[in-house]
Amino acid sequence: MSPATHAAVLVLVETDGGGATEVSRETLTFVRGLDADVHALVVGDGPSGLVDQLGAYGVSVVHHADGDAFTSYAAAAWAAAVVAAVGDATVVTAAGTPRGNEVLAHVACRLGVTMAANVVEVDSTSPLVVSRQVLGGSALEEIALTDGVAVFSVAGHACDPAEAETSTTPVVHPIDVAVSDADLRARVVRTEPGEPDESGGLKAARVVVGAGRGAGGADGFADLLELTELLDASLGVSRVVTSLGWRPHHEQVGQTGSRVSPDLYVACGISGAIQHWAGMSSSKTILAINTDPDAPMVTKAHYAVIGDLHEIVPAINEELRRRRS
Amino acid sequence: MSNVLVCIKRVPDLGGEISLTADAMAVDDSSLGHTVSPHEDCAVELAIQVAKDTGGTATVLTLGSSDAVEQLRNALALGCTAAVLVEADAGAFGPADVAAAIADVVRAHEAAGTSYDLVLLGNDASDTGDFQVGVRLSYLLDRPVVTGVSTLSVSGDRVDVRGSSPDGGTEIFDVALPAVLTVSEGGVEPRYPSIPGRMKAKKIAVEEVVPTHEPAGPGRRRLKLPPLQPSQVEVLGEGPAAAGAVVDLLEKLGVVR
Ligand SMILES: Cc1cc2nc3c(=O)[nH]c(=O)nc-3n(C[C@H](O)[C@H](O)[C@H](O)COP(=O)(O)OP(=O)(O)OC[C@H]3O[C@@H](n4cnc5c(N)ncnc54)[C@H](O)[C@@H]3O)c2cc1C
């Protein structure tokens, strides 16, 4: 192993009921490529078993910030915790989620350094040069992070989450954070649960039936919804569909909608513009149904059927029903 | 009465393939149209709504070349009441530079008697996707900031702000004015300009400002395009006759219930 270039890298870990979120585990995996000690920061209550899980990902120190200031989310208070945990870390990272990017932006301001959002590659470690996604993921920007502390978020799916070859027993280090009143000026005062059918189901779906302008209008979705039903899938749509008001925004897939990575994405009447592609390109298998054999969605897909979705989708539905009975 | 400043950015309207300039430092936009990000369309809509609801003003600001007046005029046609062009080469400005230039305008306007209760920005620009201009601006102005806002309502000296929570629900903030908010698409439908709106917009003078501080730059070394993957697509057939082959595939993939 080459000598460590960075003394330590601090990862802000986001958690859900199951422990570190998948994107946080991706980030922990990603930063092992920096060949440095991996420290984690957990804010608020960590789910039980979290420390062991972080050990499996090679974390040597778990900083823990808890107390009244963290009972409801305030980005500035979280950033105060990150700054308090930095110590001798020369790299600070988080997953490129809305929360990760927000907290890191605060951290970069507090430390007076550059921040790079949505990094997918480390090009060199001395000096630290990273590549980040720009233009909705269709291009990469190479950027040098030469300030004292390098702050960057790691894009979703930049790597697969993988446990470390040798697990560690992390030292848990409770930290005292000086949270000022100003840090709590913008604090969550209340949360409301999402509608049962909000994008949560779409993001987790194993199969997504995608629909674009080719659906033809708000009343053009009956067959597509039937296919969705038959495949126990979720419906995802292009931006054209939501901006024309044919379907609600929470169904939008893409750069400004949800990012999905199902086993199968059936793109019906969707051209495959980069901003849509940004949201579904990590689907395992892509099947395009399109009248245009040269549409980017068709040429980039694994499988395609050429023709009018209003003829093809009902035929597929019928075939599915026939084989089932 | 609330005065709102809404910040937008002129970006290339990318439909299909992207190509880069010879030095690989920018997108070759010579044959492309220009637009603003969908997030910013929503920020403009919210700014206009707040101004209308409170009898206040909505000033639209951009930092960019003189061509960006096109985007300012569009926002004026929608109902913004004033416009500011900070004329500069946007590519030479990093997110910290942009925030500093906006803060300077806010301070200068304040000194001249117009203060802004709300500064709205897009959550992230569709080209650079930096996710930080709004947060940096809030530090420079010492104001609270909420990012990823979908809807808001001002009452008195406070603003009720809503955005998505990580678990798919809604987070509600109650923030004292003045504040900085960055807006994400999805909460409001941007309006379309009317013909009278366009006529009115032509008559509004755009204030031109030259930034005073030297930009540190974005730290960009170059842009890279991912290598083109040769098409691997397997065409299962044409028209409804392909249904059988599709269902075979669905069975092979194990996705048929
Ligand atoms: C900053 C920014 C963010 C964006 N974010 C998103 C985003 O999150 N998600 C998103 O989707 N887009 C997004 N867009 C918009 C994106 O650029 C495209 O405009 C959009 O994805 C196109 O949608 P579409 O494919 O449905 O429509 P079109 O581009 O109009 O394509 C329709 C396709 O359907 C095919 N078709 C037509 N009729 C039929 C038929 N009867 N049967 C079969 N095929 C048919 C056509 O051949 C064509 O390929 C964004 C744009 C910008 C600038």
Side-chain angles (χ1 to χ4, degrees), chain A residues 33-325:
Chain A
L34 291 167
D35 201 9
D37 256 12
V38 179
H39 296 182
L41 168 65
V42 176
V43 178
D45 265 356
S48 67
L50 179 64
V51 172
D52 289 346
Q53 186 192 32
L54 295 176
Y57 277 82
V59 170
S60 61
V61 179
V62 177
H63 299 284
H64 185 211
D66 206 358
D68 291 348
F70 302 108
T71 48
S72 70
Y73 175 68
W78 279 47
V82 175
V83 171
V86 168
D88 60 1
T90 51
V91 179
V92 175
T93 65
T97 58
R99 196 153 278 189
N101 279 322
E102 179 180 39
V103 174
L104 288 188
H106 280 266
V107 169
C109 287
R110 286 163 187 252
L111 297 177
V113 301
T114 305
M115 164 195 162
N118 291 331
V119 166
V120 289
E121 274 165 30
V122 174
D123 301 290
S124 105
T125 49
S126 100
L128 184 59
V129 179
V130 293
S131 289
R132 53 183 292 263
Q133 290 178 335
V134 292
L135 299 156
S138 56
L140 299 178
E141 176 187 50
E142 229 175 69
I143 178 167
L145 299 175
T146 49
D147 299 330
V149 179
V151 174
F152 66 83
S153 68
V154 177
H157 304 306
C159 66
D160 288 329
E163 296 188 352
E165 270 170 34
T166 40
S167 61
T168 47
T169 308
V171 179
V172 178
H173 180 229
I175 48 170
D176 257 339
V177 187
V179 175
S180 69
D181 289 344
D183 294 333
L184 298 174
R185 286 183 297 188
R187 182 179 200 180
V188 172
V189 291
R190 209 166 76 243
T191 56
E192 287 173 3
E195 301 285 314
D197 194 22
E198 291 271 12
S199 59
L202 172 60
K203 284 179 198 144
R206 276 183 63 224
V207 180
V208 174
V209 173
R213 195 197 295 273
D219 51 6
F221 285 82
D223 298 323
L224 292 157
L225 287 167
E226 187 183 3
L227 178 60
T228 305
E229 178 79 33
L230 287 166
L231 295 178
D232 199 11
S234 283
L235 184 74
V237 300
S238 73
R239 180 158 180 263
V240 168
V241 169
T242 55
S243 54
L244 291 173
W246 297 349
R247 300 293 303 178
H249 181 268
H250 67 79
E251 291 179 354
Q252 182 172 318
V253 169
Q255 183 185 337
T256 47
S258 295
R259 293 188 182 217
V260 299
S261 45
D263 292 343
L264 174 66
Y265 191 83
V266 190
C268 306
I270 303 180
S271 58
I274 44 176
Q275 296 89 357
H276 188 81
W277 189 252
M280 43 62 70
S281 57
S282 57
S283 306
K284 278 209 190 82
T285 302
I286 298 167
L287 165 64
I289 300 176
N290 202 303
T291 44
D292 175 5
D294 297 323
M297 183 61 84
V298 174
T299 57
K300 292 199 225 166
H302 302 98
Y303 300 95
V305 177
I306 309 304
D308 186 345
L309 72 91
H310 295 292
E311 295 170 6
I312 296 165
V313 174
I316 297 171
N317 292 343
E318 197 186 312
E319 182 66 14
L320 282 168
R321 283 194 305 267
R322 194 183 64 76
R323 292 202 197 178
R324 186 174 294 172
S325 61

